[in-house]
Amino acid sequence: QAFFCLLLCIPWGSSCPPSCQCTERAGAKAVLCSSQHLEEIPKDIPRDVVFLKLDANSITRIPSNAFRHLSHLEEIDLSGNAIEKIDGAAFRGLAAGLRTLDLSSNRIRSIPKEALLALKARLRLADNPWHCECALQEVLWEARLDPDSVRDITCHTAPRQELVGKPLLQVLDAGVNLCSGRQRTTDVAMLVTMFGWFAMLVAYVVCYVRHNREDSCRHGERPRSLPSAQAPAE
């Protein structure tokens, strides 16, 4: 009983993940897991952590709700990993207090807009093999980018060959709109839909007029047949 009581008395935030170092900086808890050959985000990070360093590891993915229980987080450093996939709900629960999110020097080609939509943190996205397309442009329009690293967001691939190798900021400043093709596709789809509705309306009107004309013809023939039926009586 004394052993179980001791376990219950240990606060959840006092544990520290294996291969990590837990310290305090100015009264705020920091979990340091740099260069520990980690392949995924540790599951047992203390709930009261404020600064989390996971840089220089081998993490390949940020799954949904990876940090949801870490409501005190202000800074996350995920730079220098091998991240290729970021789920749409990867940073759910961090919107309020997160100030800095470092995703630089990974293998990220694209990132879901919803993953960053609610974040107010300053983002570092430099030195990734970005695919410059409409989705990335929309992310950059809404995200808060670190001004010191924004010029290092370079187009590794792009729908237009002349954009490859150029900083995305330079591409956008030159007036290139990566979403113009999507807008044209949307406009064509709307025109096709409107034409379909218009054709249905015309067909309905034609059928309605034809049906009324046939009814009027039938009503017009009936009076002419009545005199012939009454002729013998006269």
Side-chain angles (χ1 to χ4, degrees):
Q1 290 180 349
F3 175 74
F4 284 109
C5 180
L6 180 62
L7 287 179
L8 292 174
C9 291
I10 297 175
W12 175 260
S14 65
S15 61
C16 194
S19 304
C20 297
Q21 181 183 1
C22 295
T23 63
E24 286 196 9
R25 291 160 45 185
K29 179 161 290 185
V31 177
L32 312 177
C33 307
S34 305
S35 305
Q36 296 299 317
H37 307 289
L38 298 175
E39 296 182 358
E40 60 181 17
I41 298 169
K43 299 287 193 298
D44 49 356
I45 299 172
R47 292 179 178 269
D48 54 350
V49 62
V50 176
F51 306 102
L52 177 60
K53 287 186 66 65
L54 293 164
D55 56 303
N57 283 290
S58 302
I59 298 170
T60 59
R61 178 192 174 200
I62 306 178
S64 296
N65 302 312
F67 309 100
R68 188 168 188 175
H69 64 291
L70 308 178
S71 58
H72 299 283
L73 265 178
E74 295 182 7
E75 296 182 16
I76 306 176
D77 187 354
L78 285 159
S79 62
N81 277 276
I83 298 171
E84 296 180 354
K85 181 175 176 55
I86 299 176
D87 290 357
F91 304 109
R92 182 179 294 166
L94 296 179
L98 192 67
R99 296 183 302 172
T100 302
L101 175 60
D102 194 341
L103 294 168
S104 58
S105 302
N106 278 282
R107 300 175 184 174
I108 307 170
R109 287 174 48 81
S110 63
I111 186 168
K113 184 170 65 171
E114 61 268 22
L116 306 176
L117 196 60
L119 294 182
K120 300 178 181 178
R122 178 170 293 183
L123 302 177
R124 298 189 181 119
L125 304 175
D127 300 320
N128 281 286
W130 292 107
H131 178 60
C132 290
E133 59 177 352
C134 182
L136 181 59
Q137 177 176 309
E138 290 178 342
V139 167
L140 298 188
W141 274 344
E142 299 188 20
R144 289 188 59 208
L145 301 177
D146 180 74
D148 297 330
S149 63
V150 67
R151 294 190 177 277
D152 294 322
I153 301 175
T154 305
C155 297
H156 185 73
T157 57
R160 294 163 53 178
Q161 187 61 33
E162 66 269 19
L163 304 182
V164 174
K166 292 185 178 180
L168 183 55
L169 185 64
Q170 176 183 335
V171 169
L172 298 179
D173 284 345
V176 176
N177 185 0
L178 300 172
C179 295
S180 58
R182 177 181 295 183
Q183 185 63 43
R184 284 196 297 269
T185 302
T186 303
D187 292 343
V188 170
M190 289 181 63
L191 286 174
V192 170
T193 303
M194 291 174 63
F195 179 79
W197 280 107
F198 180 74
M200 290 176 61
L201 179 62
V202 170
Y204 174 79
V205 171
V206 170
C207 291
Y208 179 78
V209 171
R210 183 177 298 173
H211 178 72
N212 285 347
R213 183 176 297 173
E214 291 175 353
D215 285 348
S216 62
C217 289
R218 284 196 295 269
H219 289 305
E221 291 173 356
R222 287 177 183 175
R224 290 195 295 269
S225 63
L226 290 176
S228 61
Q230 297 175 355
E234 296 176 354

